Amino acid sequence: MCSDVLSFYKEVLADDTQNYITERARLECTSVWEVYTQLVTETVQSANRVRGALRNDKARQAWDSYTRGYIDFHFQDPRYRLHELSLD
């Protein structure tokens, strides 16, 4: 899910319609932006469920570190073009 969210910007710019979000929008007869918003919410909820299930502080810290690194990687890698969004 997360990779679909983070890859979508570059896919839109490349007019790539062969992706999960576009296909799901077609199946659900809704807009890609509605699906994108839903997927962001689903992704955050999933990540929070994992975090909540990690009772051990060390495991939770590892999860938090992993998720920060995963997101940072996508923002730093020029392939994803997320640096163009100028988000702080």
Side-chain angles (χ1 to χ4, degrees), residues 27-83:
L27 287 170
E28 294 179 3
C29 298
T30 189
S31 74
V32 293
W33 300 111
E34 179 66 29
V35 171
Y36 183 80
T37 301
Q38 291 171 353
L39 191 59
V40 168
T41 300
E42 293 166 10
T43 301
V44 170
Q45 290 171 342
S46 293
N48 286 336
R49 279 194 304 276
V50 170
R51 192 173 193 281
L54 299 172
R55 306 272 183 230
N56 179 310
D57 284 338
K58 204 170 186 178
R60 188 175 294 155
Q61 288 171 355
W63 172 255
D64 291 344
S65 178
Y66 169 78
T67 56
R68 277 191 303 274
Y70 187 84
I71 292 168
D72 286 346
F73 166 79
H74 284 79
F75 273 87
Q76 298 300 320
D77 189 330
R79 174 177 179 246
Y80 294 94
R81 301 180 63 172
L82 295 173
H83 63 279

Side-chain angles (χ1 to χ4, degrees), residues 1-13 16 19 21 36 70 74 79-80 82:
M1 280 193 285
C2 190
S3 63
D4 294 312
V5 169
L6 295 172
S7 295
F8 192 61
Y9 178 70
K10 73 173 176 62
E11 292 164 352
V12 167
L13 293 177
D16 178 2
N19 57 64
I21 293 172
Y36 183 80
Y70 187 84
H74 284 79
R79 174 177 179 246
Y80 294 94
L82 295 173

